């Protein structure tokens, strides 16, 4: 099968039982995406597939022919961090770091959903979505952080979202 | 590892046993200005970019994948592990069983001996009994599903209520099981006001986000290198070597990054031995990552508890009696008991006291340490009971605690090394707006929601453990810190770098910290909140020695030398440190606990404040805001320390509201063995939490004057929420977690 991951196109023979997460971690050497549960219950494996966030443990690799996949490694490097990655460092939006790649990929996807005006359970007005703390918390609740960096994660995301709004305005 | 030291013959050791107070600390005299500051984690860029490498992520040639097989029954003896079907799965290499060597129960933290081995005997549902090894994970998983465990079933004890009457007194563990002073019964009978209440807490799971994982790789010289997810490398190496029957120096564990521990990775778990046995048999490296369900089944739980608290007080609220009697559970032969009364020993004054623990033997998975063993659940009971007493006395809960402030350890009659409970409560009251609380419960309804505030005290004993570290100064004037200490999210990398940078006068980016490698000097490891104080002191001592060497090289005394920004300044001269180092300098630092431990009661303190709202229709509880004020000696890094407190307080939210392992009464099986059913707090459950630190130095604790903080945040946090729920609704739930169903019936109309 063929797919693009972090901008690089790949051709690979893939076991039909292999999840997208295991493809990345065990076959492509991309161990940034984490396995916390393998059951779609923790969000540690979150990747962006064609721009949308998904739990990569819950999808088989073979379902992603021709897809454009981005993992945490594709967002930035230690020397050139993505703005959200840098904000997580500044705000201590992590402790052990195991949920962190998933949190950050999820936040990238989430901000895009907000930009598209998709409402959530926390939205007071379904037609005019604004990103307050309650919205961030609600939309990030698929990503468990047992270290409980939640308040700092919210701070980091709010800051980056705010900067974006300023640029857009 | 001590290459430089040996080659140059220069490595010396600076040891310190804490027999005396240590009033002077170089950290107060440093001019680098990095200690205490809220600096970003030095390993942060690696973590946020996915480049930090956790146990299961190390590449190895010819790696095979192992998937563990469990016993699907609660008690019995295995007749056969039937593996023909598994062996016929393409890609499966072998199904490995080794009854005597596989570990039946994981080990407790800090033990040097092998855990209970022997898996032909099954003591709890989910015990790991075999491993399927294959060329791919998928084949191993398919094979594991096909293994049949044939067994002779045995009777088991699966229900707490049915066996609580057979509780026995365990041998001393972290604390003695029983202590008493005076006559509690007589004091209770004579007291003007009393509380006699029983609280229950369920089994809990640490649920660290990284499941336990090991890659076992036997080297040609017969050494096992195990990349594992472990908190205490040195003792885990001893445990693993003993379990495998090899010499201690033939096992090297590497745990550079650990995806959370919270106690669950203190001692070795079944995957380590299974991986090592399989790797030895197949002569190739084997990787085993436990499935999340196996982590729930077969690692370690916090014991459930039943706690009876009795408080007797005079009309002025002064306590005359405190009794805290706990029933906890564990497997047959396992003597760890949840020390729920550990904080009650010294939290409040009272002449008549009883703290007691008994164990009920059950065939549930091992009970052991989970974040703040003792205080985490003990304070849920004690601090709720104090709230009940305050209500009976018509006293403000803070005032009640103030009136029962002991002037020394009320049992051992030794002074406190420091104790700022009252200042924590006062500061918190002021910051939180405690004065706005309605004293009468159920008096603040807004629309569908009842609102209320609660508070609770936090206490956590401070411990120092033996720990060592090597610090090298390279010819380029950089420092390299090496110790087998781990960073499980606690901030070890960063605080150790800060200590070295401050004492050696180096910018932080000229300090490199190497952790988690069993080849490095042994440390206290991450447990019991002793990591910062113990490992930090060892680094401090090594640096102190290096300072002396630098001073000597400069021809001056350490006292008259200032180290800053990589330069040594003395006698109106300034020299680049690199010029004083020659071919490199190396020093070992070693700290050990001493007489200060017994001469003083050492603990950290805090006060929690919570505001909740409870839905009048559904009983849903929302935590609106929380504040924790803490005094824990010197805060080494305000940013990472705050995060530790956030984490602890959030564990408190989970304990108060959602976390409960449910055991099947028929076989002890953990019914809710995944993150969909075992409810840890998620982002939307946690409000913006405020954390405030009081300035403190503890000169009796260690030379850096810091005390533990990782577990203080959980102590009492859940009780503050429970007390807020009572204040909001007038409903007192004594059976944690406080779920909607327990509240609904009593909610005011
Ligand atoms: S590993 Fe995919 S959601 Fe947990
Ligand atoms: S940082 Fe440890 S689980 Fe989130």
């Amino acid at each position: 099968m063929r797919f693009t991951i972090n901008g690089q196109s790949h051709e690979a023979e893939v076991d039909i039982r292999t999840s997208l997460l295991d493809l990345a971690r065990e076959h492509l050497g991309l161990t940034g995406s984490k396995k916390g549960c393998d059951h779609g219950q923790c969000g540690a494996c979150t990747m962006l597939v064609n721009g949308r966030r998904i739990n990569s443990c819950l999808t088989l690799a073979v379902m992603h022919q021709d897809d454009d996949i981005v993992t945490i490694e594709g967002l930035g490097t230690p020397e050139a961090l993505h703005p959200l990655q840098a904000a997580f460092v500044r705000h201590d939006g992590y402790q052990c770091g195991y949920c962190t790649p998933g949190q950050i990929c999820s936040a990238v996807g989430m901000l895009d959903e907000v930009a598209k005006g998709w409402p959530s359970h926390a939205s007071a007005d379904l037609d005019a979505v604004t990103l307050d703390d309650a919205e961030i918390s609600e939309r990030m609740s698929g990503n468990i952080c047992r270290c409980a960096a939640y308040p700092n994660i919210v701070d980091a995301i709010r800051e980056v979202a705010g900067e974006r709004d300023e640029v857009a305005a | 590892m001590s290459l430089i030291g040996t080659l140059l013959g220069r490595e010396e050791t600076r040891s310190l046993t804490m027999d005396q107070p240590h009033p002077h600390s170089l950290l107060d005299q440093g001019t680098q200005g990095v200690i205490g500051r809220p600096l970003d984690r030095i390993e942060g860029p690696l973590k946020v970019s996915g480049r930090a490498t956790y146990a299961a992520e190390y590449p190895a040639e010819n790696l095979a994948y192992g998937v563990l097989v469990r016993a699907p029954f609660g008690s019995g003896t295995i007749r056969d592990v039937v593996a023909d079907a598994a062996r016929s799965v393409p890609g499966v290499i072998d199904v490995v069983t080794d009854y005597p060597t596989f570990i039946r129960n994981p080990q407790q933290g800090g033990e040097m001996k092998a855990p209970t081995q022997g898996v032909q005997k099954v003591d709890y549902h989910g015990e790991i009994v075999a491993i399927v090894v294959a060329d791919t994970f998928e084949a191993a998983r398919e094979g594991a599903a096909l293994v049949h465990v044939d067994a002779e079933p045995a009777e088991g004890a699966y229900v707490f209520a049915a066996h609580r009457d057979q509780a026995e007194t365990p041998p001393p563990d972290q604390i003695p099981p029983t202590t008493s002073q005076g006559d509690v019964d007589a004091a209770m009978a004579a007291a003007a006001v009393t509380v006699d209440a029983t609280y229950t807490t369920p089994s809990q799971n640490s649920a660290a986000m990284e499941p336990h994982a090991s890659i076992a790789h036997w080297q040609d010289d017969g050494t096992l290198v195990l990349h594992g997810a472990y908190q205490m490398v040195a003792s885990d190496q001893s445990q693993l070597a003993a379990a495998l029957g090899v010499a201690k120096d033939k096992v090297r564990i590497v745990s550079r990054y650990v995806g959370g521990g919270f106690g669950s990775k203190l001692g070795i778990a079944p995957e380590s031995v299974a991986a090592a046995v399989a790797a030895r048999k197949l002569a190739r490296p084997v990787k085993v990552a436990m499935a999340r369900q196996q982590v729930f089944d077969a690692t370690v739980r916090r014991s459930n508890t039943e706690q009876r608290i009795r408080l007797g007080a005079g009309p002025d609220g002064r306590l005359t009696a405190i009794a805290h009697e706990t029933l906890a559970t564990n497997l047959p032969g396992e003597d760890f008991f949840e020390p729920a009364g550990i904080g009650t020993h010294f939290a409040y004054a009272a002449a008549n006291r009883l703290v007691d623990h008994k164990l009920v033997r059950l065939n549930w998975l091992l009970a052991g340490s989970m974040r703040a063993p003792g205080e985490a659940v003990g304070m849920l009971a004690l601090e709720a009971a104090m709230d009940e007493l305050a209500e009976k006395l018509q006293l403000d809960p803070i005032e009640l605690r103030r009136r029962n402030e002991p002037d020394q350890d009320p049992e051992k009659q030794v002074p406190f090394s420091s104790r700022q409970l009252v200042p924590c409560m006062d500061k918190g009251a002021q910051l939180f707006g405690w004065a706005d609380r309605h004293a009468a419960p159920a008096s603040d309804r807004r629309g569908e929601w009842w609102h209320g505030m609660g508070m609770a005290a936090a206490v956590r004993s401070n411990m120092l453990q033996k720990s060592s570290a090597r610090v090298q100064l390279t010819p380029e004037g950089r420092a390299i810190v090496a110790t087998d200490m781990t960073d499980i999210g606690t901030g070890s990398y960063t605080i150790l770098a800060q200590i070295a940078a401050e004492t050696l006068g180096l910018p932080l980016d000229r300090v490199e910290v190497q952790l988690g490698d069993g080849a490095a000097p042994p440390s206290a490891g991450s447990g019991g909140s002793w990591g910062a104080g113990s490992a930090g002191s060892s680094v401090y001592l090594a640096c102190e020695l290096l300072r002396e060497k630098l001073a000597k090289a400069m021809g001056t005394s350490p006292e008259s030398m200032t180290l800053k920004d990589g330069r040594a300044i003395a006698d109106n001269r300034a020299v680049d440190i690199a010029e004083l180092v020659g071919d490199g300098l190396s020093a070992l630092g070693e700290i050990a606990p001493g007489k200060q431990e017994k001469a003083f009661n050492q603990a950290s303190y805090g006060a929690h404040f919570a505001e909740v709202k409870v839905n009048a229709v559904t009983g849903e509880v929302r935590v609106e805001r929380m504040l924790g004020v803490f005094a824990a000696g010197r805060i080494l890094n305000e940013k990472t320390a705050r995060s530790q407190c956030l984490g602890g307080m959030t564990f408190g939210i989970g304990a108060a509201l959602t976390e409960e392992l449910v055991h099947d009464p028929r076989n002890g099986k953990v019914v809710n063995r995944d993150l969909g059913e075992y409810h840890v707090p998620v982002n939307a459950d946690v409000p913006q939490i405020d954390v405030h630190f009081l300035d403190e130095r503890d000169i009796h604790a260690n030379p850096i004057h810091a005390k533990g903080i990782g577990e203080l945040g959980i102590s009492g946090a859940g009780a503050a929420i429970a007390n807020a729920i009572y204040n909001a609704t007038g409903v007192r739930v004594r059976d944690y977690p406080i779920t909607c169903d327990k509240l609904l019936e009593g909610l005011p109309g």
Side-chain angles (χ1 to χ4, degrees):
Chain A
M1 60 175 290
R2 269 210 337 242
F3 52 90
T4 303
I5 193 158
N6 299 333
Q8 274 198 318
S9 57
H10 281 267
E11 204 141 339
E13 283 274 311
V14 179
D15 187 323
I16 51 164
R17 301 167 294 184
T18 302
S19 68
L20 180 57
L21 175 61
D22 285 331
L23 173 71
R25 282 174 65 82
E26 305 301 338
H27 299 277
L28 303 177
L30 295 170
T31 55
S33 309
K34 304 304 180 196
K35 186 184 281 192
C37 70
D38 221 9
H39 272 60
Q41 297 174 335
C42 77
C45 62
T46 306
M47 295 180 188
L48 297 159
V49 175
N50 302 327
R52 284 185 63 178
R53 52 178 174 162
I54 66 168
N55 288 336
S56 65
C57 69
L58 276 193
T59 185
L60 294 169
V62 290
M63 295 160 69
H64 295 281
Q65 172 77 14
D66 296 329
D67 277 350
D68 185 9
I69 299 153
V70 176
T71 69
I72 190 72
E73 290 95 338
L75 286 181
T77 62
E79 298 73 34
L81 296 175
H82 181 280
L84 267 167
Q85 291 172 322
F88 267 63
V89 173
R90 261 196 316 281
H91 291 278
D92 217 36
Y94 60 103
Q95 291 172 40
C96 75
Y98 199 77
C99 73
T100 312
Q103 300 278 359
I104 293 171
C105 287
S106 189
V108 171
M110 184 274 284
L111 289 177
D112 188 51
E113 291 160 19
V114 172
K116 288 182 177 137
W118 296 0
S120 83
H121 170 75
S123 309
D125 181 345
L126 299 189
D127 295 316
V129 173
T130 50
L131 195 67
D132 57 15
D133 284 4
E135 280 280 357
I136 297 175
S137 287
E138 169 64 25
R139 290 166 187 265
M140 291 300 294
S141 281
N143 290 83
I144 295 176
C145 178
R146 185 53 155 166
C147 297
Y150 298 129
N152 295 349
I153 291 170
V154 172
D155 288 347
I157 294 173
R158 189 201 312 110
E159 181 184 285
V160 172
E163 281 164 12
R164 270 196 201 172
D165 289 350
E166 276 165 34
V167 175
Chain B
M1 275 307 283
S2 57
L3 199 61
I4 292 185
T6 333
L7 281 181
L8 308 176
R10 273 190 198 161
E11 185 167 272
E12 291 168 35
T13 301
R14 171 64 44 88
S15 303
L16 175 68
T17 301
M18 279 303 288
D19 286 331
Q20 298 295 326
H22 201 286
H24 301 292
S25 180
L26 294 170
L27 296 183
D28 286 316
Q29 296 145 22
T31 46
Q32 196 61 33
V34 292
I35 206 70
R37 287 185 43 212
L39 300 178
D40 296 345
R41 287 171 205 256
I42 60 173
E43 81 287 11
L46 293 177
K47 282 180 173 170
V48 298
S49 65
R51 267 76 170 184
T53 314
Y54 297 80
E57 298 170 354
Y58 286 82
E61 282 284 304
N62 200 25
L63 180 68
Y65 291 80
V67 170
L68 302 174
V69 177
R70 66 172 177 152
F73 51 89
S75 181
T77 304
I78 297 180
R79 277 190 292 249
D80 194 13
V81 172
V82 185
D84 303 342
R87 285 182 204 280
S88 67
V89 172
V92 167
I93 304 162
D94 202 354
V95 179
V96 179
T97 51
D98 180 341
Y99 293 147
T101 309
F102 272 40
I103 66 179
R104 190 188 307 158
N105 308 333
Q107 184 55 292
Q108 306 288 353
E111 289 285 349
M112 302 306 269
K113 57 183 196 287
T116 303
Q117 292 174 281
V119 297
Q120 187 159 19
K121 180 165 161 31
V122 172
D123 260 358
Y124 58 95
H125 197 288
E127 188 178 310
I128 299 301
V129 298
I131 179 174
V132 179
V133 188
D135 288 322
T136 65
F137 169 64
E138 290 77 14
R141 186 179 53 191
E142 185 175 339
L146 295 173
V147 174
H148 172 66
V149 181
D150 181 33
E152 175 74 36
E155 289 286 304
Y158 305 121
V159 179
F160 175 73
H163 296 272
R164 62 179 294 289
D165 294 343
Q166 296 148 32
E168 53 190 62
T169 299
D173 195 58
Q174 301 186 339
I175 54 173
T178 307
T179 61
S180 73
Q181 293 82 27
D183 185 339
V184 165
D185 290 337
M188 286 293 289
V193 183
T194 60
V195 168
D196 182 349
T198 297
Y199 303 82
T200 51
T201 65
S203 297
Q204 298 172 342
N205 187 288
S206 293
M209 287 309 299
E210 178 199 25
H212 296 56
S214 288
I215 300 176
H217 196 165
W218 292 89
Q219 313 292 304
D220 292 340
D221 67 354
T223 304
L224 170 68
V225 175
L226 187 120
H227 285 95
Y230 284 110
Q231 298 179 223
M232 299 177 72
V233 168
S235 52
D236 291 327
Q237 285 181 162
S238 293
Q239 297 170 13
L240 188 53
L244 295 169
V246 301
K248 215 165 95 175
D249 61 355
K250 289 290 181 201
V251 174
R252 174 178 163 205
I253 292 180
V254 181
S255 297
R256 292 210 174 85
Y257 293 97
V258 181
F262 317 112
S264 69
K265 296 165 180 169
L266 286 172
I268 60 170
E271 96 295 339
S272 59
V273 172
V277 168
R280 185 159 59 184
K281 181 164 184 225
L282 303 178
R284 62 191 276 196
V286 172
K287 159 152 67 177
V288 182
M290 292 180 84
R292 174 57 61 186
Q293 291 79 356
Q294 293 170 335
V295 172
F296 279 105
D297 282 346
T299 60
V300 61
R301 69 185 163 99
R302 189 203 294 285
S303 172
N304 61 311
T305 65
E306 180 184 304
Q307 303 175 51
R308 181 184 182 198
I309 305 266
R310 284 179 289 161
L311 301 173
D316 59 355
R318 285 186 216 287
L319 289 166
T320 52
I322 301 179
H324 191 163
E325 293 159 278
T326 299
L327 295 181
T329 59
N330 214 338
L331 282 161
E334 293 286 349
D335 290 333
F336 173 93
F337 62 89
E338 179 73 28
I342 197 168
T344 309
H345 282 302
F346 61 90
Y348 302 112
N352 303 285
R353 323 175 63 89
L354 168 66
V355 176
D356 182 64
H357 303 82
K358 291 199 168 50
L359 260 186
V360 178
R361 300 295 179 181
L362 290 180
N363 291 99
W364 293 355
L365 74 144
L366 180 74
S369 294
M370 173 170 151
R371 198 172 202 163
E375 292 94 340
V377 288
M379 297 294 276
L380 286 175
L382 177 66
E383 288 300 285
M386 286 295 280
D387 204 61
E388 299 200 35
L389 182 64
E391 162 112 37
K392 282 196 175 175
L393 287 158
Q394 300 283 308
L395 257 185
D396 182 89
I398 294 178
E399 182 55 25
L400 172 64
R401 288 167 174 85
R402 191 194 315 277
R403 289 187 188 177
N404 288 290
E405 183 68 3
D407 53 12
Q408 60 176 1
D409 183 311
E411 294 183 2
K412 298 185 179 133
Q413 318 292 342
V414 296
F416 293 107
S417 63
S418 68
R419 179 172 166 122
Q420 294 206 66
L421 175 56
V422 171
C424 285
M425 293 191 298
D426 288 344
K427 185 74 196 174
Q430 175 212 332
L431 292 174
F432 200 70
W434 182 249
D436 298 338
R437 171 179 177 264
H438 301 266
S443 46
D444 183 4
R445 178 153 174 177
R446 302 175 215 166
E448 237 178 56
W449 298 87
W450 293 103
H451 288 252
M453 288 188 203
M455 65 81 57
V459 305
R460 168 76 192 168
S461 294
N462 184 63
M463 287 172 273
L464 180 68
Q465 299 279 325
K466 232 176 146 194
S467 203
S468 57
R470 169 175 295 111
V471 182
Q472 297 175 351
L473 276 171
T474 69
E476 300 75 39
R478 298 175 57 81
I480 301 173
V481 176
T483 161
D484 80 5
M485 179 62 190
T486 50
D487 188 330
I488 60 173
T490 39
S492 312
Y493 276 109
T494 310
I495 59 150
L496 296 183
Q498 284 174 281
I499 290 167
E502 191 67 55
T503 49
L504 297 174
L506 290 173
L508 205 60
D509 61 6
R510 279 170 66 175
V511 181
E512 180 184 330
V513 181
Q514 301 169 348
L515 298 183
D517 188 334
S523 75
S526 301
S529 295
W530 57 57
S534 307
S537 294
S538 68
V539 171
Y540 171 96
L541 291 168
C543 292
E544 184 181 64
L545 185 54
L546 289 174
R547 285 170 59 96
E548 290 166 18
K549 287 169 185 265
L550 290 174
K552 198 167 164 207
M554 209 178 167
T556 184
S557 72
E559 296 76 38
S560 38
M561 173 186 70
T562 301
L563 296 175
K564 187 171 165 44
D565 291 331
R567 296 169 78 74
I569 304 149
D571 312 331
N572 291 324
R573 285 185 299 141
V575 190
D576 199 308
I577 285 177
E579 288 173 34
L580 301 171
V581 168
D583 304 334
L585 293 174
S586 183
L588 264 182
E590 280 179 2
I591 186 80
K595 294 189 183 121
Q596 293 295 297
E597 199 176 69
K598 294 236 157 56
F600 290 84
N601 177 318
Q602 298 180 22
S604 40
Y605 294 87
H608 293 282
F609 293 81
E611 180 172 350
V612 304
K613 62 177 184 181
V614 181
N615 190 287
V617 182
T618 65
E620 177 187 2
V621 179
R622 306 291 306 165
V623 181
E624 293 278 275
R625 56 195 185 102
M626 273 182 99
L627 163 71
V629 180
F630 303 105
R634 184 196 308 275
I635 300 302
L636 298 165
N637 179 322
E638 210 186 302
K639 188 178 282 195
T640 56
R642 174 176 175 271
S643 286
Q644 284 290 290
C645 295
L646 292 179
M649 292 168 78
T650 305
F651 264 64
I653 296 175
L657 300 179
T658 58
E659 288 184 43
E660 173 173 21
L661 281 185
V662 178
H663 300 272
D664 191 321
R666 297 165 303 179
N667 53 21
K669 173 183 192 260
V670 175
V671 175
N672 50 343
R673 54 203 279 271
D674 62 35
L675 294 169
E677 297 296 323
Y678 182 81
H679 293 154
V680 304
V682 299
N683 203 317
D685 297 326
V686 181
Q688 284 295 321
I689 295 176
D690 287 325
V691 174
H692 186 88
F693 295 113
L694 298 188
D695 200 30
E696 189 176 282
R697 301 280 185 273
D698 193 329
I699 63 170
H700 305 284
N702 51 55
I704 60 175
H705 302 166
K707 289 193 284 199
I709 196 134
E711 294 166 307
L712 180 62
I714 187 175
S715 174
I721 293 168
N723 295 341
I725 292 172
Y726 178 77
N727 182 247
T729 63
V731 184
R732 179 74 67 182
V733 177
R734 299 189 184 90
D735 176 31
Y736 292 95
I738 306 173
T739 45
C740 310
D741 52 314
K742 298 174 192 168
L743 278 170
L744 259 184
E745 205 177 321
L747 285 180

